[in-house]
Amino acid sequence: MSFPSASCARFVAQWRTARQWGGLVLLLMFTACSSPPPVDTIRMGLASAPSSLDPRVATDAASERINRLLYDRLVELDDAGMPVPGIARWERLGPDHYRFFLAPRRRSFHDGSRLESGDVKATIEFVLEPGNGSPFRTALSLIERIETPSSEQVDFFLRRPDPLFPAYLGVGIVPAEAAARSHPFNSRPLGSGPFRFVDWPTEGRLILQRLRDGQHFSFVLVKDPSVRIMKLLRGEIDMLQNDLPPELAAFLGRQQGVVVARAPGTNFSYIGFNLMNPDTARLQVRRAVAHAIDRDAIIEYLMQGGARPAQALLPPEHWAGGKGLEPLEYDPPKARELLREAGYGPGHPLELEYKTSSDPFRIRIATIIQSQLARVGVSVKVRSYDWGTFFGDIKAGRFQLYSLTWVGIRTPDLFRYIFHSSSLPPGGANRGRYRSADADRLIEAAEAVDDLSRQAPIYQRLQALVLVDLPYLPLWYEDQIFVHRSDITGYDIAADGNYDGLLKVKRSVERAPPASDSQRDNDG
Amino acid sequence: MGNYLLSRLLGALLVVLGVVCLVFLLIHLVPGDPVEVMLGESAQAADREALRVALGLDQPILLQLVHYFEGLLQGDLGTSLHSRRPIATILVERFPATLELAGMALLFAIVIALPMGVMAATHRGKAMDYGAMSFSLLGISIPNFWMGPMLILVFSLWLGWTPVSGREGWASFILPSITLGTALAAVLARMVRSSLLEVLGEDFVRTARAKGLPEWQVIWRHALGNAWLPVITLLGLQLGALLGGAVITETIFSWPGIGSLMIESIQKRDYPVVQGCVLLISVSYVLVNTLTDLFYAWIDPRIRMGKER
Amino acid sequence: MTRFGRMLSLLVLFLWGLAALLAPALPLHPEQIDLQQILTGPNEAAWLGSDDLGRSIFDRLVMGARTSFSVAIGVVVISAIIGTLLGAFAGYTGGMADQVLIRVIDIFLAFPGILLAIALAGVMGPGMDNVIIALSVVGWVGYARLARAQVLSLKQRDHVAAAIALGTGRVTIVLRHLLPLIASPLIVEATFGIASMVIAEAGLSFLGLGVQPPEASWGSMIRDGARYMLIAPHMVLAPGIAVMMVVLAVNLLGDRLRDYMDVRILRPGHAPVSPSRGP
């Protein structure tokens, strides 16, 4: 705690005002002043803080989004999910041999050293080492060996051909030299990305600098949505993205000096069924549930239009996405009919248990679905758990129905991971224990085709099949909401919610002096 | 006194050991698997097993507990499964915030509760008494998850006096301290009132009054001087609770303390961090209360003679 | 003032108690969702307004009284009985049993209750009975401390000595000769406990352990309402004021009860300062 003279003059002034407030005076005397911010900083409010800024291990959404700013990747995915060159272009020299050429004009690491093929090799080999416990190991485990013919070229030799291989190389590259001496990338990130790490004094405040123009950014953790909004309204943060109750987003839209922007998203919400459970194993039951849920009403009233109905895991604009799929009709009579056929009725009602996380918005949705199902005679018990217990139960198959959202899914290798019968947990995300010979065959057929454009129709057939078999009941893709103060411009909202818009965002005019002279320096 | 000290410290150690063991067992009861947390769902069985062995999670739970204690003796609290940083470092970063907030909340509570309790006691049965006690009931019955945002709305957004959240500068302490300290102030005011009422009837107070001392001196010097022992005990208990129990307040005000760290870690199933938090919380709790007890014993010799405990 | 306050308190408790008892028989629709009425303020159809799913807040308030009272009374009764018995017997017996109880109490106090609650929810599943269990698991400690301290201060008394001399058994002495004397501070403690349990239940809901949808409880209504403070303050005010009314009423009566019984409040602290003084 320091007492810089300028702020202490302020302190005294405040102290005099505060004296009228009795007991508070004593409180104030025990605390110190903060130093003013050295430069203009653009501040973004986050609902959850990144847990690790080491791109080789971090998988939580906040970490991944920020790591995209700090590190460069060999390969990027375009809007349709197709791999395109990042800092390298590639040639397929043989079915299982890829050569990557690093771009001649590329950024150096922020410590000044040049990013070379050895850094790529070291990064990927770290991921492949089982003892390092990297969650990316499975996707990359088809790499047999990596060679570096020159400082500009990296060769990957695969165990089996996979035309999608470049898409898996989205791991941020770290410098080999620093990695060799176990540099703590998790807390002191060092990459070659468009942003440079400045400071991370506490979990809730991360400061980066944009290399292009030296603009500072800080990421401020504010978990409570109401508080996050009040922070925005008061100008303590300049922008925030997502994690807002829809009503609060609408409220913000009516406030002066604040702008709410929306864009269609790709994060996929669904209801998962347990196919090992005698009730939900029956197709009639799953279809009845599907026809009993009025998705349009939920989207219109609860989400205030902030979502689009989903028919498949990957959205239509994705190269492997589900196109032209018939939506599941909201049709309560049909749902009742199906239940009757399945032998349920007033004398023998269908009772289901629906698990959800304790997130208030998820509970709200669960409650609506509960009441919609009650209308067709299905009695649903909603059970909400803290996240860890909930997710643990889902993975262990302890559920009948659950609801979750897939965030940031881009590549169709996910289909094997979610729907193939060899992907039952542990060892996959086929949590509902969906076993379908047809689905397995389609997944394997798609993987065997050595050309992405010919894989697409097979994946579309798979998604059509899934919509019939209903191991997943697709709900919607939630919109991305970006709220900012009106002096902030140039932010492009990404469909998966990443923060790449920060590359171009800027403060348009000179910032007006804040209303209270003492409080603006929330992050110095 | 030496014997008493020794037995108190030994007891404190036992309590900490008990808490650590309990947490260890409890964590294994809760669904959720650290290996899954680290590797994600896609990992293959062999990789899982390898990591399980590397982390020592394949061993029987009692052996794991022994290893944990071995690490503790060497000052090693383990590594976070998520951030993969040493837990001791994380705790050192977080604890000052918790300590400051607890201290400020306590201070706030005392500043509010002492005059209120005294007023109520000296005006027993009058409007002042009812007013003070009703006010204190209000303090108990306002949940802090509502009070926090409400204070922000009024004092930050409308009046613009304090920052909304964060831990930057003196002004940022005010709202969290009030949010956390109000319930304590309410309990404390009642405590001050009742122990003062008890003392006011005693002979020495009557003597003091008979000597013609001014009433404020009778109250603040003689009566309060004798009424504060139970108050100190309560404060000890409450400070201990404040050190670990500020989860909601910390969450609302984005206060980087131990309570919110623990909740996050529970949710992410970052078990080593949960254990570290619980260890720290229980040690500080036990420490505060042992100090209170020792202080108490030092004041009141009957206790250290072993009559009461 | 006192008399008026007392009557008012009784009236408040009586009315809410009646509402809680009769709620299931009343023509209420606390679970009826109306998506078009989300967060609408008080109006003719719903005179306390609608909540975040368009349900009538008034109906939920009446139904929630039932839940909240059951939880609060359940927890207080269970933890008071268990805590008092444990504390009284340990305090009277002394020695090893007493030492063990002291340590167990300390462990419970030093242990973060949140972790315990989550573990219980994970093992037993969320729900109202488990809320009562989880809160009682933590709640008994206060009563045990209080009962133990009281018994310690009373067990040297003449009538106890007389009973021992007559060869009365330990159980009888504790139950017949000590419990009646320590009952009043415990009852007062319990009246205060009821208020804080209504709030505590909301805290547990926050962790996913509480009352499950679509059921209503005052705690969960306050918790949900707090989120819409900026746009729909009516949602938190109605249950907030209801809780406050009940807390004030219970405590006013509790104070009255204490004055009536003229007991010194011994907080669940340590040994009393002047052990020789009894009620």
Side-chain angles (χ1 to χ4, degrees):
Chain A
M1 291 195 183
S2 60
F3 281 77
S5 55
S7 31
C8 270
R10 223 165 52 204
F11 171 79
V12 172
Q14 293 277 325
W15 188 81
R16 289 212 182 97
T17 338
R19 222 167 29 179
Q20 302 152 7
W21 292 89
L24 290 186
V25 175
L26 264 166
L27 272 178
L28 304 185
M29 289 169 60
F30 279 77
T31 52
C33 319
S34 68
S35 43
V39 281
D40 176 53
T41 302
I42 296 182
R43 291 158 302 187
M44 182 166 194
L46 300 185
S48 57
S51 64
S52 163
L53 296 182
D54 184 340
R56 300 168 301 175
V57 295
T59 50
D60 62 286
S63 304
E64 279 198 340
R65 286 165 184 168
I66 287 171
N67 283 338
R68 286 182 61 78
L69 306 172
L70 287 166
Y71 299 91
D72 280 321
R73 294 151 301 280
L74 294 184
V75 177
E76 304 283 355
L77 299 178
D78 68 9
D79 289 342
M82 286 295 256
V84 294
I87 56 163
R89 61 181 181 82
W90 64 90
E91 280 175 18
R92 197 173 180 188
L93 299 179
D96 45 13
H97 179 194
Y98 281 85
R99 173 164 292 171
F100 281 76
F101 303 88
L102 295 176
R105 287 169 57 84
R106 58 181 185 267
R107 271 183 301 267
S108 294
F109 287 115
H110 303 143
D111 64 355
S113 61
R114 192 167 163 75
L115 189 161
E116 292 181 341
S117 58
D119 301 309
V120 177
K121 183 170 190 278
T123 302
I124 304 297
E125 280 178 349
F126 178 94
V127 169
L128 291 175
E129 170 60 44
N132 290 329
S134 168
F136 301 111
R137 181 179 135 73
T138 311
L140 292 175
S141 59
L142 83 165
I143 298 174
E144 192 190 15
R145 63 176 200 281
I146 307 171
E147 286 178 7
T148 51
S150 78
S151 67
E152 306 299 300
Q153 294 175 20
V154 193
D155 281 3
F156 293 93
F157 296 92
L158 310 184
R159 295 177 209 279
R160 56 170 197 278
D162 186 342
L164 197 56
F165 171 69
Y168 307 152
L169 291 173
V171 179
I173 305 300
V174 305
E177 179 269 328
R181 55 181 160 82
S182 302
H183 178 83
F185 293 103
N186 51 13
S187 55
R188 294 276 169 261
L190 172 57
S192 61
F195 285 71
R196 183 179 72 84
F197 172 77
V198 177
D199 197 8
W200 199 5
T202 61
E203 189 211 18
R205 210 170 115 239
L206 168 70
I207 301 161
L208 307 184
Q209 185 184 26
R210 188 162 63 193
L211 294 178
R212 180 166 60 80
D213 56 358
Q215 171 72 49
H216 277 75
F217 287 83
S218 87
F219 298 87
V220 186
L221 173 68
V222 192
K223 281 191 208 141
D224 187 282
S226 299
V227 177
R228 202 155 57 243
I229 286 172
M230 291 193 276
K231 228 169 154 63
L232 183 79
L233 289 175
R234 191 155 186 272
E236 287 178 24
I237 54 175
D238 298 299
M239 53 200 179
L240 54 89
Q241 185 167 318
N242 294 338
D243 296 303
L244 284 184
E247 292 84 359
L248 286 182
F251 162 80
L252 278 173
R254 297 190 295 269
Q255 302 303 306
Q256 269 204 331
V258 174
V259 182
V260 178
R262 296 166 189 272
T266 55
N267 295 337
F268 169 74
S269 299
Y270 65 97
I271 291 177
F273 293 100
N274 188 346
L275 279 76
M276 300 290 280
N277 178 279
D279 289 321
T280 44
R282 307 177 68 173
L283 182 58
Q284 283 151 317
V285 167
R286 300 199 296 275
R287 286 182 58 208
V289 171
H291 289 301
I293 295 178
D294 187 356
R295 292 182 296 174
D296 293 339
I298 298 178
I299 290 175
E300 184 184 347
Y301 294 110
L302 186 70
M303 310 178 81
Q304 312 227 323
R308 52 184 171 145
Q311 263 64 254
L313 190 64
L314 292 175
E317 66 272 18
H318 191 280
W319 67 268
K323 291 176 184 65
L325 295 171
E326 276 298 306
L328 295 158
E329 288 298 326
Y330 170 57
D331 189 350
K334 191 167 178 188
R336 268 186 230 106
E337 175 66 33
L338 283 162
L339 287 170
R340 223 180 355 260
E341 280 171 28
Y344 299 102
H348 172 49
L350 174 59
E351 289 175 4
L352 295 173
E353 191 181 75
Y354 180 118
K355 286 194 177 176
T356 174
S357 72
S358 54
D359 176 77
F361 188 60
R362 304 289 149 202
I363 294 180
R364 266 174 98 189
I365 290 174
T367 314
I368 295 180
I369 289 178
Q370 178 184 48
S371 85
Q372 292 182 344
L373 286 171
R375 274 185 238 153
V376 300
V378 181
S379 124
V380 176
K381 266 192 204 160
V382 174
R383 288 286 172 264
S384 68
Y385 294 85
D386 90 285
W387 171 257
T389 306
F390 166 64
F391 201 43
D393 274 2
I394 298 311
K395 287 188 289 198
R398 283 190 294 270
F399 64 89
Q400 271 186 303
L401 264 69
Y402 71 92
S403 170
L404 267 175
T405 300
W406 279 106
V407 177
I409 46 171
R410 304 298 292 273
T411 52
D413 55 327
L414 220 82
F415 287 119
R416 166 177 281 276
Y417 174 48
I418 296 174
F419 296 125
H420 198 278
S421 62
S422 69
S423 298
L424 305 188
N430 188 347
R431 303 160 186 152
R433 278 72 181 166
Y434 172 56
R435 289 190 188 82
S436 155
D438 288 341
D440 289 359
R441 215 167 25 246
L442 284 170
I443 292 169
E444 285 153 20
E447 288 169 346
V449 175
D450 209 18
D451 173 3
L452 294 188
S453 64
R454 287 193 294 130
Q455 281 187 357
I458 309 180
Y459 282 127
Q460 279 157 20
R461 271 167 58 203
L462 173 70
Q463 288 172 94
L465 174 71
V466 166
L467 196 58
V468 172
D469 283 353
L470 287 175
Y472 269 25
L473 166 53
L475 294 176
W476 45 70
Y477 308 109
E478 273 169 49
D479 284 355
Q480 299 290 335
I481 301 180
F482 180 72
V483 190
H484 58 96
R485 293 185 65 84
S486 43
D487 56 351
I488 294 292
T489 54
Y491 188 95
D492 291 328
I493 306 173
D496 67 352
N498 70 38
Y499 301 151
D500 290 7
L502 295 179
L503 284 169
K504 284 191 272 178
V505 77
K506 62 178 194 291
R507 203 187 287 286
S508 57
V509 282
E510 204 44 48
R511 198 171 143 99
S516 154
D517 61 343
S518 71
Q519 311 310 345
R520 65 158 296 189
D521 42 349
N522 188 53
D523 54 79
Chain B
M1 189 76 190
N3 262 348
Y4 178 70
L5 191 78
L6 200 69
S7 83
R8 282 304 291 138
L9 288 180
L10 205 68
L13 194 66
L14 266 179
V15 168
V16 171
L17 282 182
V19 169
V20 171
C21 294
L22 200 61
V23 172
F24 217 87
L25 295 175
L26 215 58
I27 275 174
H28 285 262
L29 274 181
V30 179
D33 176 2
V35 169
E36 198 112 319
V37 165
M38 287 176 81
L39 290 182
E41 281 175 277
S42 65
Q44 282 139 13
D47 290 353
R48 282 163 200 282
E49 216 31 60
L51 188 63
R52 209 175 286 282
V53 172
L55 296 174
L57 294 172
D58 56 328
Q59 293 165 339
I61 174 168
L62 283 178
L63 206 61
Q64 291 183 40
L65 187 59
V66 171
H67 287 315
Y68 184 70
F69 279 120
E70 279 173 9
L72 274 190
L73 286 180
Q74 294 155 18
D76 177 15
L77 290 170
T79 310
S80 157
L81 300 181
H82 270 275
S83 69
R84 311 199 178 189
R85 301 174 62 209
I87 289 162
T89 316
I90 303 177
L91 292 181
V92 166
E93 272 174 22
R94 294 275 197 138
F95 198 50
T98 293
L99 218 54
E100 283 168 15
L101 181 57
M104 297 306 288
L106 198 65
L107 196 64
F108 169 78
I110 295 173
V111 166
I112 297 291
L114 209 59
M116 213 155 90
V118 172
M119 293 290 203
T122 48
H123 298 77
R124 188 184 187 186
K126 307 230 179 71
M128 186 88 89
D129 186 14
Y130 284 99
M133 287 304 103
S134 305
F135 193 73
S136 105
L137 281 174
L138 222 60
I140 299 177
S141 55
I142 299 179
N144 47 9
F145 51 81
W146 183 57
M147 184 166 176
M150 216 47 216
L151 288 174
I152 294 176
L153 184 65
V154 175
F155 290 98
S156 299
L157 220 54
W158 293 350
L159 298 172
W161 291 350
T162 63
V164 172
S165 72
R167 177 172 162 256
E168 290 292 307
W170 58 271
S172 69
F173 277 80
I174 299 174
L175 299 187
S177 316
I178 297 177
T179 307
L180 190 59
T182 299
L184 175 57
V187 177
L188 203 60
R190 302 191 139 248
M191 187 75 205
V192 168
R193 174 184 180 267
S194 61
S195 47
L196 198 59
L197 277 181
E198 196 179 302
V199 172
L200 281 178
E202 304 243 0
D203 293 343
F204 69 89
V205 173
R206 253 172 301 187
T207 315
R209 280 199 179 120
K211 278 199 296 189
L213 285 179
E215 185 64 15
W216 66 268
Q217 243 186 24
V218 174
I219 301 287
W220 288 93
R221 187 169 297 166
H222 290 81
L224 261 188
N226 284 279
W228 65 319
L229 278 178
V231 175
I232 294 279
T233 307
L234 179 76
L235 281 181
L237 279 172
Q238 292 289 338
L239 181 63
L242 285 184
L243 287 175
V247 176
I248 292 172
T249 307
E250 284 182 6
T251 305
I252 291 171
F253 290 97
S254 310
W255 200 263
I258 294 289
S260 55
L261 175 68
M262 186 173 72
I263 272 291
E264 284 158 25
S265 309
I266 292 173
Q267 270 160 4
K268 294 190 206 155
R269 293 298 183 265
D270 200 339
Y271 290 147
V273 179
V274 177
Q275 272 153 11
C277 292
V278 173
L279 184 73
L280 184 62
I281 292 170
S282 59
V283 166
S284 22
Y285 178 86
V286 167
L287 200 69
V288 168
N289 282 290
T290 308
L291 286 179
T292 330
D293 280 358
L294 291 178
F295 178 73
Y296 214 99
W298 177 61
I299 295 286
D300 188 347
R302 270 174 305 189
I303 292 166
R304 67 167 177 264
M305 300 308 284
K307 210 170 166 189
E308 297 295 339
R309 316 196 48 141
Chain C
M1 158 84 191
T2 17
R3 196 177 170 77
F4 177 68
R6 217 156 53 230
M7 293 316 286
L8 201 65
S9 301
L10 277 173
L11 189 69
V12 163
L13 289 185
F14 174 75
L15 284 180
W16 276 121
L18 201 65
L21 280 176
L22 296 182
L26 298 173
L28 300 172
H29 306 284
E31 288 162 17
Q32 191 173 312
I33 290 176
D34 185 350
L35 294 178
Q36 296 174 36
Q37 295 298 324
I38 285 180
L39 297 183
T40 47
N43 56 59
E44 285 151 34
W47 62 278
L48 287 179
S50 302
D51 73 356
D52 58 344
L53 288 171
R55 298 172 294 197
S56 155
I57 291 181
F58 177 79
D59 291 8
R60 293 184 69 72
L61 203 58
V62 175
M63 212 46 131
R66 192 178 170 82
T67 321
S68 290
F69 284 10
S70 319
V71 170
I73 294 172
V75 172
V76 166
V77 166
I78 292 177
S79 39
I81 290 178
I82 295 178
T84 305
L85 288 180
L86 280 177
F89 275 105
Y92 180 74
T93 313
M96 201 55 202
D98 194 33
Q99 287 300 313
V100 170
L101 183 78
I102 291 176
R103 297 291 158 247
V104 171
I105 288 179
D106 276 347
I107 289 178
F108 268 86
L109 285 173
F111 193 87
I114 286 166
L115 188 56
L116 202 66
I118 288 183
L120 286 176
V123 176
M124 309 186 302
M128 215 176 83
D129 1 335
N130 294 337
V131 169
I132 297 180
I133 295 177
L135 290 175
S136 307
V137 164
V138 184
W140 67 273
V141 178
Y143 298 95
R145 284 181 79 109
L146 184 57
R148 178 179 167 274
Q150 292 281 2
V151 165
L152 279 183
S153 74
L154 292 175
K155 72 180 197 186
Q156 314 292 351
R157 286 190 142 202
D158 296 344
H159 79 281
V160 177
I164 295 174
L166 287 172
T168 319
R170 198 195 329 170
V171 176
T172 320
I173 290 183
V174 172
L175 294 184
R176 297 264 311 272
H177 299 281
L178 288 172
L179 266 189
L181 287 179
I182 67 172
S184 33
L186 285 165
I187 290 173
V188 173
E189 172 80 7
T191 57
F192 292 126
I194 287 188
S196 51
M197 284 309 126
V198 172
I199 305 292
E201 182 263 319
L204 285 187
S205 309
F206 179 75
L207 299 170
L209 176 68
V211 169
Q212 294 293 303
E215 269 183 78
S217 76
W218 287 2
S220 62
M221 288 175 76
I222 294 179
R223 186 204 58 214
D224 291 342
R227 278 201 308 279
Y228 302 100
M229 187 186 76
L230 288 169
I231 42 179
H234 67 274
M235 223 182 122
V236 70
L237 283 180
I241 290 170
V243 168
M244 244 169 255
M245 273 163 61
V246 169
V247 168
L248 282 173
V250 167
N251 282 288
L252 272 179
L253 292 179
D255 276 348
R256 179 68 200 142
L257 187 71
R258 180 183 49 192
D259 292 349
Y260 179 72
M261 293 178 159
D262 190 29
V263 292
R264 300 181 301 119
I265 277 293
L266 286 166
R267 273 274 147 191
H270 282 248
V273 190
S274 42
S276 57
R277 277 173 48 120

